Amino acid sequence: MGEREYDASSYVPPAEVGEMELVHPKTFIGKYIWSQDAKVIAIQYVITATSIGLVALVLSLLMRLQLGFPNSLTLIDPSSYLQYVTMHGMIMVIYLLTALFLGGFGNYLIPLMCGARDMAFPYLNMLSYWVYLVSVLLLVVGFFLPGGSTGAGWTLYPPQAINPGTPGVDGGIILMLVSLAAFIIGFTMGGLNYVVTVLQARTRGMTLMRLPLTVWGIFMATVMALLAFPALLVAALMMLLDRLLGTSFFMPGMLSMGELSSHEGGSPLLFQHLFWFFGHPEVYIVALPAFGIVSDLIATHARKNIFGYRMMVWAIIIIGALSFVVWAHHMYVSGMNPYFGFLFATTTLVIAVPTAIKVYNWVLTLWRGNIHFTVPMLFAIGFLFTFVNGGLSGLFLGNVTVDVPLSDTYFVVGHFHMVMAVAPILVIFGAIYHWYPKVTGRMLNDTLGKIHFWVTFLGTYAIYYPMHFIGLEGVPRRYYAYGETTFISDSVQALNAGITIAAFIVAIAQVLFLFNLVWSYFRGRESGPNPWQANTLEWQTPHTPPRHGNFGEELPAVYRWPYDYSVPGAKHDFIPQNVPPEEVEYEESSKSGGRA
Amino acid sequence: MAMAIALIVLALGSVVFFFLSPWYLTPLASNWGAIDHTITISFWVTGVVYLAITFFLAVALIRYRYKRHRRSLYEPENKKLEVWLTVLTSLGIAALLAPGLFVWGSFVTVPDDAHEVEVVGQQWHWSFRFPGEDGELGPVRASLISDDNPYGIDPDDPRGQDDILVRSPRLMLPIDRPVKMTLRSKDVIHNFKVPPFRAKMDAIPGQTSYFWLTPTKTGEFEAVCAELCGIGHFAMRGRVEVVDQQTFDEWLAGKPTFGELAAREPGDPEAGAEHFARCVACHGPQGGGKQETNAPRLAGLDAEYLKRQLRNFRIGARGTNEADRFGQQMRPFATSLQDEDVIADLIAYLETLPVESTRPTIAGDVERGKRLYRTCASCHGPEGQGMPAFNAPRLAGMNDWYLVRQLQHFREGVRGRHPEDWYGNQMVDMTQILVDEAALRDVVAYIGSLSEAPAVADAGRQSAEE
């Protein structure tokens, strides 16, 4: 046992599970299309999610155009505006963020960071991607149906969602629900894989408390997703039955286009409970991987161990568990029994404690570090700042009384974009700059990266910060136009125009990023196997990019936790996880320190 | 370094923005000052934390920026510090939560002396109901809703007979009296929101919900819908006027009870025919409209719409704008029609008139018009047949020159801006999608093509037979 190191040991237990046999395809199609290699599947996820995400980005620009410069495009009418609102939200939350973090980063990093050859069930993993692709394609088809995609809002609240008169009620909503069901089925295949891999396929010596926080974040998010998505699945199926067979799960007796509808006795609130039982954990399904990844980015680029590792792991677990008992804070003014407010406000604010601890620990990790302002680090700091902002505004909305005037206003739009859109996206960018060298063997261009960071970071702040204030004034969200009101000041229009301009500038910066991705693939500086001098196993592979099977002839054995940065006396400021204590090189002066 | 400066500038800028921003809570007009206090407390607590974390972060970035020979401190854990931070955070959270829960306690507890008003949401307008003398609202069922019973009140239940119905989206409330707002929806989910009152709640079909408040300021306040309810969501407006008790009582006394509404005699078309004599000169013998006199067709319009427009002309909500020359001509005729029974007779007669198709005078791009009409269809119906439930009159077969002029008037706010012209207000918002003159003509040209559709011709024949 080392004295200087926090968690290092020469003893490595024997392998519990035998080596897995991998299918090594010979053809191009087998290698890159019908691939069972988690790394290729990860890239497939990333490309698909990014492509559909770009569609959602364009939709948001169209919305901003209408809000900033009303009626400048005849293409945007009230129905199409609501369709943009719906599809933008749905795509960004589920088809982009969830797929990117779990399907993309999960697939690439879990086997590598755990020291596994591949996912536990490679074939199922491949199937997971293809079902995901089908769900995305179904979504895309929806755009081209007569009547277009659904315009029910991304929350798809009934009765609206399936009521005649709502945009896309003929086909769009059906495809949306089927696509969601497909997504969930595909995700379940992948999710079971991630969980089993983390629990069963870790290499020798990789105890749970030696896992990098990235894996912890993705693992916990996957467990949560496996528990939360079924609620959405049943809600989607029940709504499909209501829409197609005329059942009345969510549909009460009501008027529909001025006529009495054939439904009777259903509960619209039931859907909201099911939706948010999924929907709130979903926030953390996106946030926890971001938490994990940002921890690793900060530790690596500040050359410092993560502060309070055990606390960080427990915080992830506690946040994951608590997030299942806060869902109705989305429903304070939904008309549910208002006495629920007491319980849900309390649980919601309690969850702020472990979340705050994570923030402290990130900041304390930077304190007395040696901070390299690399592009990944810039994005990590950008995340910290944005997340603090979004987290604090969450304390307004989670606190039931405060929520009453603010719900359904631009305060909410500002809050959730900060906390669950911009913050995770900044981490995704940081992670891409960080791991791109491992995936391609080349560095991304630094200058382009810095421009990308500054425009995105400052731009998103300019977009979302002022929104909170017009929300305070009471400006409602999901409005196609504001018309004449007595309570909205005229200056709101000027602000909206400014926000729109900022949004377009930020969008242009993303084009720069895409260009960087492509350009660096061919022209980027060669990175070598471990350009950031990081400790985790993915940087210790014999080949860069890692080949199928990840670690060559022999799997690495793990002797220490992943955060041995700047260990006192050690010659280098990092000691990879697979370096046994006796092989650590020490400075001459400290050799007398006494080693086991 | 740049990053640290950026953080400091952003943090300070955010604080400055907070103080200088012209956008903040609207002036309070209810008893819910406590809600504003919880917001203020939240700003203080979170503001301090925000500045503390950001500055600490900035200092860390400056002090511990990369130096060649610097070595990070190796400190995996610091139990004492972690416990301290946890305790402090928990205290901060408690400081936020306690007042929040305390105020919520009063939010969910309606005072015993509160009077009640029911808010009914419907795509895309509001209506209201007061309980009447027995102090109790009669039970309602969606399946009972009809043109004669717009609230779906159970006619056999005595509690419903004295319920006072306010069918316009304009509500009066007495000042300084707690009021319980019971919410209900006839179709999708809505949310009745008056920003200066702070309190709001969703109105859901199939059940009721509630909130309460005490208005503390007289004046007129705008009500909006705060829950996405379809494409007219943004134009679903209403007004709440807070007045003294006496004005309120007088206003309420002028509103019909459900019993009175049900007992009202249907109009007599034969008597109506005589009253119609004064309309013929301009609107034509069959009420078919005449371009020479700039008078639109009346046949085929639904009773509620006709009543509403006559009222608008009478009270000056329409036809008072100088740019609306022909509307001004209509005013004296409407003012001469004061008697409810006369109006009912007149409308009964109009309903017997045949709906004949009109001659097109406007040319436009029908295809583009069809696309634009998608929005109109949600209220006026896909065939332009009009939907009384949405307060939307029939468009198919209406004289196209009249439609063009009215659309222009709406778009420019010549018609529909008056606060009493509730649904005209919506049209002002809606016509903004007709960005230019061509768009306007295109949509009218498309509406013109609708009257040729067989379905409409059938409808016309039917009403002719009646």
Side-chain angles (χ1 to χ4, degrees), chain A residues 561-575:
Chain A
W561 75 322
Y563 300 105
D564 267 340
Y565 290 107
S566 309
V567 174
K571 194 170 170 195
H572 301 289
D573 70 352
F574 71 110
I575 310 173

Side-chain angles (χ1 to χ4, degrees), chain B residues 266-316:
Chain B
D268 173 10
E270 282 180 29
E274 286 173 28
H275 299 307
F276 189 66
R278 68 183 107 174
C279 316
V280 172
C282 294
H283 289 280
Q286 298 286 297
K290 264 162 84 177
Q291 191 169 10
E292 306 82 65
T293 49
N294 298 297
R297 191 176 78 178
L298 300 176
L301 292 172
D302 67 274
E304 286 302 320
Y305 178 76
L306 289 166
K307 252 191 250 174
R308 199 161 55 237
Q309 294 311 315
L310 281 172
R311 171 190 167 277
N312 285 350
F313 278 119
R314 195 171 62 234
I315 64 168

Side-chain angles (χ1 to χ4, degrees), chain A residues 88-155:
Chain A
H88 168 77
M90 199 54 112
I91 290 174
M92 287 300 195
V93 171
I94 294 186
Y95 297 86
L96 175 77
L97 284 175
T98 310
L100 209 53
F101 270 124
L102 303 182
F105 288 101
N107 262 315
Y108 204 92
L109 295 175
I110 290 175
L112 276 167
M113 285 185 146
C114 290
R117 293 255 178 247
D118 203 328
M119 284 291 179
F121 313 113
Y123 186 81
L124 199 62
N125 206 22
M126 173 184 79
L127 212 54
S128 155
Y129 167 73
W130 290 101
V131 177
Y132 165 66
L133 183 66
V134 168
S135 78
V136 171
L137 292 177
L138 283 171
L139 202 70
V140 173
V141 170
F143 285 107
F144 301 102
L145 284 184
S149 46
T150 177
W154 89 275
T155 49

Side-chain angles (χ1 to χ4, degrees), chain A residues 1-34:
Chain A
M1 291 288 272
E3 286 168 1
R4 294 190 185 84
E5 292 97 338
Y6 169 74
D7 173 29
S9 140
S10 311
Y11 172 73
V12 171
E16 286 174 35
V17 189
E19 274 275 324
M20 70 188 296
E21 275 185 44
L22 297 174
V23 183
H24 291 290
K26 300 277 185 295
T27 60
F28 177 85
I29 289 180
K31 259 184 178 162
Y32 298 107
I33 308 293
W34 306 107

Side-chain angles (χ1 to χ4, degrees), chain A residues 255 303 308 310 333-334 338 360 368 370-371 399 401 404 407-408 461 465 479-480 486 491 564 570 572, chain B residues 14 23 50 56 64 66-67 71-74 76-77 89 96 100 104 186 200 202 204 222 225-226 237 433:
Chain A
L255 294 189
R303 315 309 298 159
R310 281 188 297 179
V333 295
S334 70
Y360 302 148
R368 304 190 71 175
N370 190 16
I371 303 165
N399 201 352
T401 316
V404 170
S407 63
D408 294 309
Y461 203 69
Y465 186 73
Y479 266 37
Y480 164 77
T486 47
S491 51
D564 267 340
H572 301 289
Chain B
S14 302
W23 311 292
Y50 168 70
F56 187 83
Y64 302 107
Y66 172 69
K67 286 208 177 121
R71 191 100 190 204
S72 301
L73 176 76
Y74 190 74
E77 286 185 327
T89 309
L96 286 176
W104 191 246
K186 290 198 224 172
K200 67 165 178 273
D202 280 5
I204 316 163
E222 191 154 25
C225 180
R237 307 283 166 91
I433 65 169

